[in-house]
mmCIF file of all heavy atoms in Angstrom:
data_model
loop_
_atom_site.group_PDB
_atom_site.id
_atom_site.type_symbol
_atom_site.label_atom_id
_atom_site.label_comp_id
_atom_site.label_asym_id
_atom_site.label_seq_id
_atom_site.Cartn_x
_atom_site.Cartn_y
_atom_site.Cartn_z
ATOM 1 N N ARG A 1865 32.658 -16.780 -6.914
ATOM 2 C CA ARG A 1865 32.785 -17.582 -8.139
ATOM 3 C C ARG A 1865 33.740 -16.968 -9.159
ATOM 4 O O ARG A 1865 33.975 -17.551 -10.214
ATOM 5 C CB ARG A 1865 31.409 -17.755 -8.784
ATOM 6 C CG ARG A 1865 30.430 -18.554 -7.933
ATOM 7 C CD ARG A 1865 29.037 -18.515 -8.534
ATOM 8 N NE ARG A 1865 28.089 -19.326 -7.771
ATOM 9 C CZ ARG A 1865 26.785 -19.408 -8.032
ATOM 10 N NH1 ARG A 1865 26.280 -18.692 -9.041
ATOM 11 N NH2 ARG A 1865 26.003 -20.170 -7.304
ATOM 12 N N GLY A 1866 34.241 -15.793 -8.865
ATOM 13 C CA GLY A 1866 35.141 -15.138 -9.811
ATOM 14 C C GLY A 1866 34.431 -14.610 -11.046
ATOM 15 O O GLY A 1866 35.071 -14.430 -12.101
ATOM 16 N N GLU A 1867 33.114 -14.334 -10.937
ATOM 17 C CA GLU A 1867 32.332 -13.877 -12.084
ATOM 18 C C GLU A 1867 31.818 -12.441 -11.913
ATOM 19 O O GLU A 1867 30.979 -11.994 -12.695
ATOM 20 C CB GLU A 1867 31.131 -14.815 -12.293
ATOM 21 C CG GLU A 1867 31.526 -16.246 -12.605
ATOM 22 C CD GLU A 1867 30.330 -17.190 -12.661
ATOM 23 O OE1 GLU A 1867 29.262 -16.832 -12.104
ATOM 24 O OE2 GLU A 1867 30.456 -18.276 -13.243
ATOM 25 N N LEU A 1868 32.339 -11.755 -10.904
ATOM 26 C CA LEU A 1868 31.843 -10.415 -10.636
ATOM 27 C C LEU A 1868 32.099 -9.470 -11.803
ATOM 28 O O LEU A 1868 31.266 -8.608 -12.127
ATOM 29 C CB LEU A 1868 32.481 -9.861 -9.358
ATOM 30 C CG LEU A 1868 31.914 -8.545 -8.823
ATOM 31 C CD1 LEU A 1868 30.423 -8.671 -8.548
ATOM 32 C CD2 LEU A 1868 32.640 -8.127 -7.545
ATOM 33 N N LYS A 1869 33.245 -9.628 -12.481
ATOM 34 C CA LYS A 1869 33.563 -8.780 -13.628
ATOM 35 C C LYS A 1869 32.565 -9.003 -14.761
ATOM 36 O O LYS A 1869 32.142 -8.053 -15.430
ATOM 37 C CB LYS A 1869 34.992 -9.059 -14.097
ATOM 38 C CG LYS A 1869 35.433 -8.163 -15.242
ATOM 39 C CD LYS A 1869 36.877 -8.437 -15.633
ATOM 40 C CE LYS A 1869 37.305 -7.531 -16.795
ATOM 41 N NZ LYS A 1869 38.710 -7.790 -17.199
ATOM 42 N N ASP A 1870 32.204 -10.273 -14.985
ATOM 43 C CA ASP A 1870 31.231 -10.577 -16.039
ATOM 44 C C ASP A 1870 29.856 -9.982 -15.704
ATOM 45 O O ASP A 1870 29.163 -9.455 -16.584
ATOM 46 C CB ASP A 1870 31.108 -12.088 -16.220
ATOM 47 C CG ASP A 1870 32.370 -12.704 -16.786
ATOM 48 O OD1 ASP A 1870 33.141 -11.970 -17.440
ATOM 49 O OD2 ASP A 1870 32.604 -13.907 -16.557
ATOM 50 N N LEU A 1871 29.465 -10.088 -14.441
ATOM 51 C CA LEU A 1871 28.190 -9.510 -14.027
ATOM 52 C C LEU A 1871 28.213 -7.986 -14.174
ATOM 53 O O LEU A 1871 27.228 -7.376 -14.598
ATOM 54 C CB LEU A 1871 27.901 -9.877 -12.565
ATOM 55 C CG LEU A 1871 27.552 -11.333 -12.263
ATOM 56 C CD1 LEU A 1871 27.599 -11.580 -10.761
ATOM 57 C CD2 LEU A 1871 26.172 -11.688 -12.804
ATOM 58 N N TRP A 1872 29.345 -7.375 -13.829
ATOM 59 C CA TRP A 1872 29.464 -5.918 -13.840
ATOM 60 C C TRP A 1872 29.438 -5.364 -15.258
ATOM 61 O O TRP A 1872 28.832 -4.329 -15.526
ATOM 62 C CB TRP A 1872 30.752 -5.507 -13.130
ATOM 63 C CG TRP A 1872 30.904 -4.034 -12.932
ATOM 64 C CD1 TRP A 1872 31.564 -3.151 -13.734
ATOM 65 C CD2 TRP A 1872 30.366 -3.265 -11.857
ATOM 66 N NE1 TRP A 1872 31.493 -1.885 -13.236
ATOM 67 C CE2 TRP A 1872 30.757 -1.917 -12.069
ATOM 68 C CE3 TRP A 1872 29.613 -3.569 -10.732
ATOM 69 C CZ2 TRP A 1872 30.404 -0.894 -11.191
ATOM 70 C CZ3 TRP A 1872 29.269 -2.554 -9.868
ATOM 71 C CH2 TRP A 1872 29.650 -1.235 -10.097
ATOM 72 N N SER A 1873 30.106 -6.063 -16.182
ATOM 73 C CA SER A 1873 30.236 -5.546 -17.551
ATOM 74 C C SER A 1873 29.342 -6.258 -18.547
ATOM 75 O O SER A 1873 29.502 -6.086 -19.759
ATOM 76 C CB SER A 1873 31.696 -5.647 -18.004
ATOM 77 O OG SER A 1873 32.138 -7.000 -17.965
ATOM 78 N N CYS A 1874 28.403 -7.062 -18.062
ATOM 79 C CA CYS A 1874 27.514 -7.793 -18.968
ATOM 80 C C CYS A 1874 26.775 -6.816 -19.885
ATOM 81 O O CYS A 1874 26.258 -5.783 -19.446
ATOM 82 C CB CYS A 1874 26.503 -8.594 -18.159
ATOM 83 S SG CYS A 1874 25.354 -9.556 -19.153
ATOM 84 N N GLY A 1875 26.764 -7.128 -21.176
ATOM 85 C CA GLY A 1875 26.071 -6.267 -22.129
ATOM 86 C C GLY A 1875 26.967 -5.251 -22.794
ATOM 87 O O GLY A 1875 26.534 -4.561 -23.723
ATOM 88 N N THR A 1876 28.196 -5.091 -22.289
ATOM 89 C CA THR A 1876 29.140 -4.180 -22.931
ATOM 90 C C THR A 1876 30.009 -4.966 -23.902
ATOM 91 O O THR A 1876 29.935 -6.191 -24.001
ATOM 92 C CB THR A 1876 30.018 -3.484 -21.884
ATOM 93 O OG1 THR A 1876 30.815 -4.479 -21.203
ATOM 94 C CG2 THR A 1876 29.159 -2.754 -20.856
ATOM 95 N N GLU A 1877 30.875 -4.269 -24.614
ATOM 96 C CA GLU A 1877 31.724 -4.935 -25.603
ATOM 97 C C GLU A 1877 32.669 -5.933 -24.948
ATOM 98 O O GLU A 1877 33.037 -6.933 -25.540
ATOM 99 C CB GLU A 1877 32.538 -3.896 -26.383
ATOM 100 C CG GLU A 1877 31.671 -3.017 -27.276
ATOM 101 C CD GLU A 1877 32.517 -2.039 -28.067
ATOM 102 O OE1 GLU A 1877 33.753 -2.053 -27.889
ATOM 103 O OE2 GLU A 1877 31.944 -1.260 -28.842
ATOM 104 N N SER A 1878 33.065 -5.634 -23.684
ATOM 105 C CA SER A 1878 33.998 -6.532 -23.001
ATOM 106 C C SER A 1878 33.291 -7.598 -22.186
ATOM 107 O O SER A 1878 33.926 -8.492 -21.647
ATOM 108 C CB SER A 1878 34.901 -5.719 -22.065
ATOM 109 O OG SER A 1878 34.121 -5.027 -21.110
ATOM 110 N N GLY A 1879 31.961 -7.490 -22.091
ATOM 111 C CA GLY A 1879 31.209 -8.425 -21.271
ATOM 112 C C GLY A 1879 30.522 -9.478 -22.100
ATOM 113 O O GLY A 1879 30.795 -9.690 -23.277
ATOM 114 N N SER A 1880 29.575 -10.167 -21.461
ATOM 115 C CA SER A 1880 28.825 -11.230 -22.126
ATOM 116 C C SER A 1880 27.953 -10.657 -23.205
ATOM 117 O O SER A 1880 27.453 -9.546 -23.116
ATOM 118 C CB SER A 1880 27.968 -11.973 -21.085
ATOM 119 O OG SER A 1880 28.776 -12.481 -20.050
ATOM 120 N N SER A 1881 27.726 -11.425 -24.227
ATOM 121 C CA SER A 1881 26.866 -10.976 -25.317
ATOM 122 C C SER A 1881 25.420 -11.127 -24.925
ATOM 123 O O SER A 1881 25.052 -11.961 -24.125
ATOM 124 C CB SER A 1881 27.138 -11.804 -26.576
ATOM 125 O OG SER A 1881 26.846 -13.151 -26.317
ATOM 126 N N ARG A 1882 24.579 -10.290 -25.549
ATOM 127 C CA ARG A 1882 23.151 -10.385 -25.317
ATOM 128 C C ARG A 1882 22.429 -9.723 -26.469
ATOM 129 O O ARG A 1882 23.023 -9.074 -27.310
ATOM 130 C CB ARG A 1882 22.743 -9.728 -23.994
ATOM 131 C CG ARG A 1882 23.034 -8.247 -23.949
ATOM 132 C CD ARG A 1882 22.536 -7.661 -22.652
ATOM 133 N NE ARG A 1882 22.691 -6.221 -22.629
ATOM 134 C CZ ARG A 1882 21.871 -5.361 -23.176
ATOM 135 N NH1 ARG A 1882 20.834 -5.791 -23.862
ATOM 136 N NH2 ARG A 1882 22.060 -4.058 -23.091
#
Side-chain angles (χ1 to χ4, degrees):
R1865 295 172 177 176
E1867 298 174 340
L1868 189 58
K1869 183 178 180 180
D1870 292 336
L1871 289 168
W1872 187 265
S1873 59
C1874 181
T1876 63
E1877 292 182 359
S1878 59
S1880 303
S1881 61
R1882 62 177 185 82

